[in-house]
């Protein structure tokens, strides 16, 4: 545990030093290829650093935040795009923007500038803490339930794994959002938008699940490729290759996270999961344009929503969670959780 904490501290020292270089030096270099070349050493370093952390609970989120999210922001920054352009006025704000997974609500930003009152934002903050506490409690109960996993059917375990993933991501992001809101004095956009209420695959992936990742992928992959595709095949079908390439990119980045977790040669199963999602979403787009837009046929949302969730659940169980179970990652997660509890008791 102490060795991991030392690696964790060293990682953040190197990360803040590298991002300070981006703010003070790389930002002064002309945009385009020259700035991109100046940022490549930082992008390479941020891709490697999280792999010195062997704990799943620390390392996997760092791969997600730094190797994926932060690096994609830096790629946009190289061309004067994204949330880092124009650079914030101070270095610490630049570093916070680069590393964070948050998006400030515009109404909340106006509130901070004195344009509208902040009572609404203040009333939402306690409810967010209460909601997070409830989810964290449920997450802990799920962790404890895994100590009795031999009594669960394998399909029940897959459902529990999905709930654990959903709750763990939400709790992790909100635990970061609460101090960010306190320090910045603003309200942040939600990370999820009731994904279980999705009416289609497009709705789930584009407007409900992990919205900040959707924003990043939309800026770095989807929008540029759609613009190129429009000039080649026209605007009607330009979204199809852009959507597919976005899902392939997401699959490769998830493969990087899985590599950190499993520490074995990639099997590409999680990449294939996202490739399939890209194919399914493209099929959905074609059907909507051919049938729904012409009023020939349309599924009721009471059918299309559960059908979309079933497709995601079946393919995730087949290609994503099964890989984790096969490599005993569930047992490693529970072991880490129990070690962490013992560490807290020892510290107390």
């Amino acid at each position: 545990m102490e060795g991991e904490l030392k690696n964790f501290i060293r990682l953040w020292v190197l990360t803040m030093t590298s991002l300070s270089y981006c703010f003070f030096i790389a930002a002064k270099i002309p945009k385009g290829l020259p700035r991109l070349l100046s940022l490549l050493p930082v992008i390479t370093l941020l891709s490697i650093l999280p792999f010195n952390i062997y704990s799943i609970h620390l390392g996997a989120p760092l791969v997600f935040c730094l190797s994926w999210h932060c690096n994609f922001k830096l790629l946009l920054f190289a061309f004067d795009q994204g949330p880092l352009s124009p650079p914030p006025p101070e270095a610490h704000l630049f570093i916070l923007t680069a590393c964070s997974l948050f998006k400030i609500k515009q109404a909340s930003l106006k509130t901070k500038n004195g344009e509208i009152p902040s009572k609404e934002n203040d009333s939402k903050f306690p409810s967010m803490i209460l909601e997070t506490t409830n989810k964290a409690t449920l997450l802990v109960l799920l962790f404890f339930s895994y100590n009795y996993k031999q009594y669960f059917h394998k399909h029940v375990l897959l459902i529990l794994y999905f709930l654990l993933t959903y709750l763990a991501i939400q709790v992790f992001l909100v635990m970061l959002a609460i101090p960010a809101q306190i320090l910045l004095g603003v309200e942040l956009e939600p990370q999820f938008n009731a994904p279980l209420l999705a009416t289609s695959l497009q709705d789930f992936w584009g407007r409900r699940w992990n919205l900040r990742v959707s924003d990043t992928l939309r800026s770095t992959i989807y929008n540029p490729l759609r613009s190129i595709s429009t000039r080649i095949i026209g605007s009607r079908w330009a979204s199809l290759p852009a959507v597919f390439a976005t899902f392939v990119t997401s699959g490769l980045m998830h493969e990087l996270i899985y590599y950190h977790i499993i520490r074995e040669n990639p099997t590409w199963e999680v990449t294939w999961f996202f490739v399939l999602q890209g194919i399914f979403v493209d099929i959905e787009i074609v059907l909507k344009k051919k049938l729904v837009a012409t009023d020939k046929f349309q599924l009721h949302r009471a059918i299309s929503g559960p059908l979309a969730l079933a497709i995601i659940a079946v393919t995730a169980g087949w290609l994503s969670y099964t890989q984790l179970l096969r490599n005993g990652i569930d047992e490693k997660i529970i072991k880490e959780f129990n070690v962490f509890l013992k560490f807290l008791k020892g510290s107390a």
Side-chain angles (χ1 to χ4, degrees):
M1 179 66 79
E2 292 182 3
E4 282 288 88
L5 289 176
K6 289 180 181 178
N7 289 336
F8 183 76
I9 293 171
R10 182 164 57 246
L11 176 145
W12 279 112
V13 169
L14 289 172
T15 297
M16 288 188 287
T17 303
S18 300
L19 292 176
S20 296
Y21 156 80
C22 295
F23 178 78
F24 289 108
I25 298 177
K28 308 297 190 295
I29 298 174
K31 67 178 181 179
L33 185 59
R35 187 184 296 176
L36 177 62
L37 291 175
S38 73
L39 292 173
L40 282 180
V42 176
I43 292 172
T44 303
L45 182 64
L46 294 182
S47 299
I48 296 172
L49 278 178
F51 289 90
N52 290 324
I53 307 293
Y54 288 87
S55 165
I56 295 175
H57 293 89
L58 285 177
L62 287 170
V63 176
F64 175 62
C65 291
L66 299 180
S67 302
W68 181 355
H69 209 68
C70 182
N71 275 346
F72 275 42
K73 288 181 182 179
L74 291 177
L75 288 173
L76 290 171
F77 176 59
F79 299 94
D80 261 355
Q81 302 292 323
L84 296 176
S85 296
E90 298 179 19
H92 72 278
L93 293 176
F94 182 91
I95 294 172
L96 182 63
T97 303
C99 295
S100 72
L101 301 168
F102 313 121
K103 182 179 180 182
I104 299 173
K105 280 190 175 181
Q106 290 301 313
S108 179
L109 195 58
K110 292 178 181 178
T111 297
K112 188 180 179 185
N113 293 332
E115 297 181 29
I116 59 177
S118 60
K119 293 182 179 178
E120 183 181 357
N121 295 340
D122 294 339
S123 65
K124 289 181 180 180
F125 191 67
S127 63
M128 184 179 71
I129 295 178
L130 180 61
E131 182 184 355
T132 305
T133 302
N134 293 334
K135 289 178 179 178
T137 302
L138 182 56
L139 183 62
V140 170
L141 291 175
L142 280 174
F143 270 120
F144 277 116
S145 71
Y146 281 109
N147 292 315
Y148 308 95
K149 70 172 191 173
Q150 64 270 25
Y151 300 110
F152 294 110
H153 190 275
K154 63 178 182 179
H155 296 310
V156 176
L157 279 176
L158 287 175
I159 294 173
L160 291 177
Y161 288 142
F162 173 77
L163 290 175
L164 186 145
T165 302
Y166 174 54
L167 289 172
I169 294 174
Q170 280 210 316
V171 170
F172 166 71
L173 292 175
V174 175
M175 284 177 64
L176 295 178
I178 289 175
Q181 288 196 195
I182 294 173
L183 292 172
L184 299 176
V186 295
E187 186 182 358
L188 303 175
E189 294 280 0
Q191 299 286 347
F192 292 83
N193 180 24
L196 297 180
L197 299 180
T199 58
S200 65
L201 290 171
Q202 270 185 290
D203 186 39
F204 180 90
W205 292 115
R207 291 181 287 271
R208 294 187 180 273
W209 181 262
N210 216 345
L211 298 178
R212 302 291 74 79
V213 170
S214 297
D215 291 343
T216 302
L217 287 171
R218 190 177 291 113
S219 300
T220 53
I221 307 298
Y222 178 81
N223 288 340
L225 286 180
R226 179 165 184 170
S227 177
I228 295 171
S229 299
T230 299
R231 293 194 289 268
I232 298 174
I233 60 177
S235 60
R236 180 173 172 79
W237 303 111
S239 63
L240 297 181
V243 164
F244 183 73
T246 301
F247 275 99
V248 171
T249 303
S250 181
L252 292 173
M253 299 314 298
H254 278 83
E255 198 74 56
L256 188 66
I257 297 173
Y258 267 55
Y259 177 74
H260 178 279
I261 294 172
I262 298 173
R263 301 283 176 160
E264 298 285 347
N265 290 332
T267 61
W268 307 108
E269 289 168 271
V270 69
T271 300
W272 276 109
F273 166 75
F274 283 96
V275 168
L276 286 177
Q277 298 306 309
I279 293 173
F280 292 150
V281 171
D282 274 350
I283 291 173
E284 189 176 87
I285 292 172
V286 172
L287 291 176
K288 285 181 178 179
K289 289 182 181 291
K290 291 287 188 179
L291 300 178
V292 178
T294 57
D295 293 326
K296 292 181 180 179
F297 180 76
Q298 182 174 0
L299 281 177
H300 192 276
R301 60 186 301 167
I303 299 175
S304 63
L307 180 60
L309 293 176
I311 290 172
I312 294 170
V314 170
T315 51
W318 170 35
L319 292 170
S320 180
Y321 292 105
T322 303
Q323 182 182 5
L324 298 177
L325 294 176
R326 188 172 63 244
N327 288 277
I329 300 304
D330 55 329
E331 296 178 2
K332 185 176 179 181
I333 289 174
I334 300 306
K335 183 179 178 181
E336 280 191 10
F337 178 71
N338 291 330
V339 169
F340 179 67
L341 290 180
K342 291 179 181 179
F343 177 77
L344 291 179
K345 291 178 181 178
S347 300

